[in-house]
Amino acid sequence: MRPNDRRYTKTHEWVKIDGEIAIFGITDFAVNALCSGNEGDLVYCDLPEPGRLVNAGETFGEIESVKAVEDLNSPIDGEVIESNTVIEEHLEVLSKDPWNAGWMIKLKPRTKNLAEYELMDAPSYDAYCAAQKH
Amino acid sequence: MPHWRLLETWDWAPGANMALDEAQLEIAGLAPTLRFYTWRPDALSLGWFQRVEDVPAARGGLLVVRRLTGGGAIHHAAELTYSLAGPADAPPFDGPVARSYERIHAALAAALATFGVASELRGARRLTSDLAGTGMCFHASSALDLVLDGRKLVGSAQRRRRGRVLHHGSIKLRASACETAVAELPGVEARALAAACERGLSGALGIELERAEPSAAELAHVRAREHWYASAAHVLAGGRRRGDGR
């Protein structure tokens, strides 16, 4: 099962509350959909500058693989305080560790109560991914 | 059998072509759509993240737009452009990106075969059309590209946005000064090839096509967005953190 210390979106992002901040990333399912295990197929990731305000469902960045550009969607509302610049130079981090080292942005959340949003816990997200596999 | 719309928009302006592609991702409830199109005037489209300075052809006096998909630049002159758009969780887009390419390109190869064109996936080989330093899509290749006689024939890319997918591509009919060494289909015209591809794709994808015109919502989206796609602000600001003009 995927980590249950965070919540998941239908567009395959995760969000985790850590003290006063929220951390976003994308899931293993999203990474595999883009590169099918070939980490070299990920070619570019565009993340926002600190200070940018994002709303739940809004695009906060983009990731490019050899054959597709995919929007990255914000799971919750808040203000960006840091982007993971390591990812922009080392996209293989997303394949190796999407849950920790592969974090994308840190956010000052409007609220830490994730129940305000339409998000899934790990068992629900696992079931959601299983239903999407072909 | 799933119903898809069939749009044919011949000789649209470059910015309008890009805006109608964007509409396929952004208008809620739009039916899955297959589109064939050509460009007037001829134009060069840059990939979403491509830098102008990495594409020598962009300094050649051609009208330049920037696509919402990634990859290299394409010279839209003697070619047939196509797009398929629909929900990401339904065929042919569901599952990994690579799998959707395999399905779509297999269908396209079957369609091209009905026109007597024996295209195939590139696989592991190197192509005669692989040329360094041009920044052109047709001078770079991946295993999933469709090729003819060792040269790239179809250049394709996808954009995935909020549960929808746009897959568009160019089927090259003839080479040009900035797209040398590519596959060519001598004597083939875009509209005749579109008719063959329409029948072939319909059969291979198992879809029923219904000819349509762009809707009022699509045309409004085109009017609102076509100038931005061809604007210097968008075309020149390749790379990161540009936003999308709204």
Side-chain angles (χ1 to χ4, degrees):
Chain A
M1 191 171 78
R2 294 173 174 89
N4 204 22
D5 59 352
R6 59 200 76 195
R7 293 294 179 264
Y8 298 87
T9 68
K10 287 183 176 176
T11 48
H12 306 288
E13 293 87 9
W14 57 260
V15 54
K16 175 182 174 183
I17 299 295
D18 183 12
E20 297 303 310
I21 64 168
I23 307 172
F24 296 175
I26 61 173
T27 69
D28 60 324
F29 187 96
V31 174
N32 285 329
L34 280 167
C35 69
S36 296
N38 302 314
E39 61 186 34
D41 280 3
L42 296 175
V43 294
Y44 191 77
C45 184
D46 185 20
L47 297 174
E49 298 280 7
R52 178 165 155 193
L53 300 175
V54 294
N55 293 315
E58 191 177 281
T59 300
F60 70 81
E62 294 158 330
I63 186 164
E64 181 179 26
S65 69
V66 169
K67 282 297 181 187
V69 176
E70 178 132 17
D71 288 9
L72 303 169
N73 304 301
S74 179
I76 63 172
D77 310 333
E79 179 183 346
V80 177
I81 54 177
E82 186 181 354
S83 290
N84 187 350
T85 53
V86 172
I87 286 179
E88 294 179 323
E89 302 300 325
H90 298 281
L91 284 156
E92 69 277 9
V93 170
L94 293 174
S95 300
K96 289 182 167 55
D97 185 8
W99 312 118
N100 296 296
W103 68 273
M104 289 183 158
I105 62 173
K106 293 180 179 176
L107 198 82
K108 181 180 175 185
R110 180 182 58 77
T111 171
K112 293 190 288 182
N113 181 14
L114 297 183
E116 286 194 18
Y117 301 95
E118 283 190 39
L119 300 168
M120 290 174 273
D121 60 14
S124 300
Y125 181 68
D126 284 345
Y128 177 72
C129 291
Q132 291 205 351
K133 286 208 168 167
H134 292 270
Chain B
M1 184 176 285
H3 290 259
W4 283 48
R5 294 187 311 158
L6 171 65
L7 298 181
E8 293 179 330
T9 54
W10 305 120
D11 293 344
W12 273 30
N17 273 334
M18 295 296 86
L20 185 53
D21 272 351
E22 184 184 70
Q24 305 308 309
L25 291 174
E26 298 205 353
I27 295 177
L30 213 51
T33 301
L34 169 66
R35 178 163 78 114
F36 295 111
Y37 53 112
T38 53
W39 306 57
R40 181 171 290 180
D42 297 351
L44 188 76
S45 72
L46 304 178
W48 185 252
F49 290 113
Q50 215 172 11
R51 300 189 309 171
V52 175
E53 54 267 40
D54 293 336
V55 185
R59 296 189 291 274
L62 287 168
L63 193 154
V64 182
V65 296
R66 187 178 289 283
R67 300 189 309 273
L68 76 169
T69 53
I74 293 180
H75 184 201
H76 302 281
E79 65 162 32
L80 172 66
T81 320
Y82 73 95
S83 70
L84 300 99
D89 59 358
F93 305 115
D94 52 330
V97 170
R99 186 76 190 97
S100 70
Y101 265 81
E102 288 167 2
R103 288 191 203 109
I104 293 168
H105 281 181
L108 204 52
L112 288 164
T114 68
F115 206 71
V117 177
S119 64
E120 57 189 337
L121 293 179
R122 189 205 71 169
R125 81 189 104 166
R126 182 173 163 74
L127 303 180
T128 308
S129 51
D130 289 342
L131 301 174
T134 70
M136 302 298 290
C137 167
F138 277 83
H139 290 160
S141 62
S142 70
L144 295 172
D145 284 327
L146 280 179
V147 304
L148 179 66
D149 298 329
R151 298 167 189 266
K152 189 165 173 177
L153 175 67
V154 181
S156 305
Q158 287 187 7
R159 180 80 187 212
R160 292 174 172 248
R161 175 174 288 171
R162 297 190 190 90
R164 286 186 66 85
V165 179
L166 170 76
H167 176 112
H168 64 185
S170 161
I171 305 171
K172 209 46 69 179
L173 302 179
R174 279 168 285 286
S176 72
C178 59
E179 275 176 340
T180 55
V182 303
E184 297 185 274
L185 301 177
V188 174
E189 294 303 324
R191 296 186 193 199
L193 182 58
C197 286
E198 172 194 334
R199 292 188 297 272
L201 285 170
S202 171
L205 294 175
I207 57 176
E208 190 165 316
L209 290 168
E210 184 172 338
R211 197 169 295 276
E213 296 295 325
S215 67
E218 287 174 302
L219 293 175
H221 189 94
V222 169
R223 282 192 296 273
R225 297 287 285 163
E226 63 177 320
H227 298 296
W228 182 73
Y229 270 100
S231 68
H234 179 44
V235 169
L236 295 176
R240 54 185 63 190
R241 301 187 179 107
R242 299 175 322 268
D244 74 351
R246 289 176 285 196

